[in-house]
Amino acid sequence: MLTLASLIAILPLIIVATTAVVVMLGIAWQRHHAGTAVVSAGGLVLALLSIPLAAGALTSPPLMIVDGLAIMGSVLVLLCALVTIAMSHHYLTGYIGPREEFYLLLLCAVTGALGLVASDHLATLFISLELLSMPLYGMLAYSFRAERSLEAGIKYLVLSAAATAFLLFGMALIYARTGRMDLAGLAAGLAATPDPWTLAGAVLMVVGLGFKLSIVPFHLWTPDVYQGGPAPATIFLATVSKLAVFLVLLRLVMVAPIFDSEWLRTLFTLLALITMLGGNLLALFQPNLKRLLGYSSIAHFGYLMVAIVVGGQLAVEATGVYLITYLVTTLAAFGVVTQVSSPFGGEDAAGLHHYRGLFWRRPWLAAVMTVAFLSLAGIPLTAGFIGKFYVLALGVADARWWLVGGIIAGSAIGLFYYLRVMVTLYMPEPGMRRRDATEDWGSRVGGLTLMVVAGLILVIGVYPAPVIDWVVGLSGVL
């Protein structure tokens, strides 16, 4: 039964959903690009401010749970969405066609992500996942006049539908075995030794969620979609979408015993190894920066799979720290791509040649990109080093030596192509085709936000204690 306390527990979700309705009505009344962006950002800020109220609620609504993991996920989802809106405004300035609907799609996807991180029932998990995914089809194909953007949207639509079929079939098999759909009921209804049907159901659910996370071998859509989608849509896909889905997978592993079986742990170990190595190897000689970042994200979620394999309270802490470091780094890297591609001019500045000699034209953007790639490589004094350290410590603590070796090997391979991009930024060559950010990029909201995100990479790398303390505090409330 819904009570006032349970409604307060999901207040951020209610505020974002209400903002989406307000934006939709505003578009119907009068189009105003800047006004729509401000209202959208304002709704997200209000949702952020309401999180302490939600955290203090005594009860959770039906089918959902508001615990430390949900609170952490909600904060990160809202912050990433705010950064995406800040980056989107200048990018869409030159877009020929309706621009306001992009923010409406984004708010609908954020609503789905907030529901997903708090899901405690297979029904809310599925509905929230689809509410997150469906607006992404439109966001990725938003610049439909560009051939690659339309291709990205259609590819994500078709393959996402296939992944949803696997997920639903897996849920059906588990429901047929237990007769329950709530996660607590699954934990109570499953025997200590799972039968083949429940194992098959769990594997099918892993396939469905693995597609959303670009886990090898379900990763083939990733480089094409990253390359073709508009830069702001790609930022959202690489951060909010993957963050929400990974937290759901972590919750399933922690709560439902079927996902904690040794057989599935072996499967997760194999998937983690081939993902972290495959993503890095595929990125080695990639000439397209957006595709390279796509392969890099595959590798990083391979590293994060170590937390799924190990499980337990320490895994939640390691996941929180690694996700924060991954998110700020990815926002910075894609933020530079967005600035160089702004305002919209058809195709994004995706080729590596567009960034050749960027330091001599836009030194601050080159500096941000350098910091982001140093962090992706896990170099000390950057946020990425803290995340890699946590994941390595997790593998060592559980004596998962194959995974530890995979992280080290993957990081060594990744260092090559990360350095390759950084060197390109400082090597001008006459006659090369170039794309440049506008002269006033640093004085715009998106540019200022990008500088703050780059600063966070360094601050977290030098002084990670506040972030770690926050994650530890939330991971204890499960």
Side-chain angles (χ1 to χ4, degrees):
M1 177 183 289
L2 278 174
T3 62
L4 180 61
S6 61
L7 286 174
I8 290 174
I10 56 169
L11 192 56
L13 187 151
I14 293 171
I15 290 174
V16 174
T18 304
T19 306
V21 174
V22 170
V23 167
M24 180 174 62
L25 294 174
I27 293 171
W29 175 51
Q30 184 176 359
R31 291 185 175 276
H32 192 283
H33 183 206
T36 303
V38 169
V39 171
S40 302
L44 294 179
V45 170
L46 280 177
L48 265 175
L49 295 175
S50 71
I51 283 181
L53 282 175
L58 299 176
T59 59
S60 297
L63 313 184
M64 302 181 83
I65 182 168
V66 181
D67 57 2
L69 196 61
I71 294 297
M72 178 174 66
S74 299
V75 171
L76 295 179
V77 163
L78 291 169
L79 287 174
C80 290
L82 268 173
V83 173
T84 305
I85 286 179
M87 300 289 183
S88 302
H89 180 260
H90 185 40
Y91 178 89
L92 291 170
T93 299
Y95 180 70
I96 302 172
R99 292 168 291 187
E100 294 79 7
E101 280 83 357
F102 186 87
Y103 302 98
L104 176 59
L105 291 170
L106 186 144
L107 288 170
C108 291
V110 171
T111 305
L114 292 175
L116 197 55
V117 298
S119 292
D120 192 39
H121 193 279
L122 294 183
T124 49
L125 188 158
F126 174 73
I127 293 170
S128 299
L129 184 61
E130 289 308 294
L131 183 55
L132 169 63
S133 299
M134 287 185 178
L136 272 170
Y137 309 150
M139 290 170 69
L140 290 166
Y142 202 78
S143 51
F144 60 91
R145 292 179 183 85
E147 182 181 345
R148 289 191 181 278
S149 177
L150 189 59
E151 178 188 347
I154 292 173
K155 278 187 176 178
Y156 192 71
L157 166 64
V158 172
L159 294 174
S160 184
T164 298
F166 279 102
L167 184 69
L168 274 176
F169 195 13
M171 288 180 178
L173 289 177
I174 293 177
Y175 175 70
R177 172 67 178 80
T178 62
R180 301 285 294 272
M181 294 186 72
D182 58 304
L183 298 191
L186 293 182
L190 290 170
T193 306
D195 58 41
W197 289 111
T198 52
L199 273 176
V203 169
L204 287 171
M205 287 187 68
V206 169
V207 169
L209 295 175
F211 165 84
K212 305 289 185 180
L213 293 173
S214 307
I215 301 300
V216 176
F218 317 113
H219 68 291
L220 295 177
W221 61 273
T222 308
D224 292 338
V225 171
Y226 273 51
Q227 179 183 358
T234 311
I235 292 176
F236 191 88
L237 176 63
T239 55
V240 173
S241 176
K242 291 196 172 186
L243 157 71
V245 174
F246 190 84
L247 290 183
V248 162
L249 182 58
L250 181 64
R251 191 184 293 279
L252 284 173
V253 170
M254 291 176 59
V255 175
I258 179 63
F259 290 93
D260 196 33
S261 65
E262 195 56 40
W263 191 88
L264 268 182
R265 280 181 184 272
T266 304
L267 176 63
F268 282 135
T269 302
L270 179 62
L271 289 176
L273 276 172
I274 62 175
T275 301
M276 62 179 73
L277 293 176
N280 282 308
L281 287 171
L282 288 168
L284 266 180
F285 301 105
Q286 183 56 243
N288 186 288
L289 185 58
K290 288 176 76 178
R291 292 178 73 91
L292 184 146
L293 287 170
Y295 286 126
S296 173
S297 75
I298 293 172
H300 280 278
F301 276 88
Y303 303 144
L304 256 178
M305 287 288 287
V306 175
I308 299 295
V309 174
V310 174
Q313 201 66 34
L314 184 58
V316 179
E317 182 183 337
T319 296
V321 173
Y322 196 96
L323 279 174
I324 291 170
T325 61
Y326 166 80
L327 291 172
V328 295
T329 304
T330 302
L331 287 170
F334 275 109
V336 175
V337 175
T338 306
Q339 292 299 322
V340 176
S341 304
S342 298
F344 181 82
E347 296 282 353
D348 285 347
L352 200 54
H353 59 270
H354 289 130
Y355 299 84
R356 194 174 186 89
L358 182 66
F359 174 76
W360 307 106
R361 310 189 304 277
R362 300 286 184 267
W364 284 105
L365 274 180
V368 172
M369 184 70 95
T370 301
V371 168
F373 273 79
L374 287 173
S375 183
L376 285 171
I379 302 300
L381 302 183
T382 63
F385 173 76
I386 305 299
K388 284 267 180 69
F389 175 81
Y390 254 86
V391 172
L392 271 172
L394 191 63
V396 170
D398 204 53
R400 302 279 176 172
W401 303 115
W402 280 103
L403 290 176
V404 171
I407 294 171
I408 294 171
S411 299
I413 297 168
L415 189 61
F416 171 80
Y417 62 83
Y418 291 137
L419 286 175
R420 178 167 151 259
V421 174
M422 286 185 277
V423 168
T424 302
L425 299 174
Y426 301 89
M427 293 179 63
E429 183 174 327
M432 291 293 289
R433 287 187 297 128
R434 299 187 180 97
R435 289 280 294 275
D436 266 340
T438 54
E439 292 285 351
D440 63 343
W441 74 268
S443 61
R444 291 179 174 270
V445 174
L448 294 172
T449 305
L450 180 59
M451 297 304 293
V452 170
V453 171
L456 278 175
I457 295 175
L458 295 174
V459 170
I460 294 173
V462 174
Y463 184 54
V467 169
I468 294 172
D469 291 342
W470 181 67
V471 171
V472 170
L474 289 177
S475 62
V477 191
L478 289 174

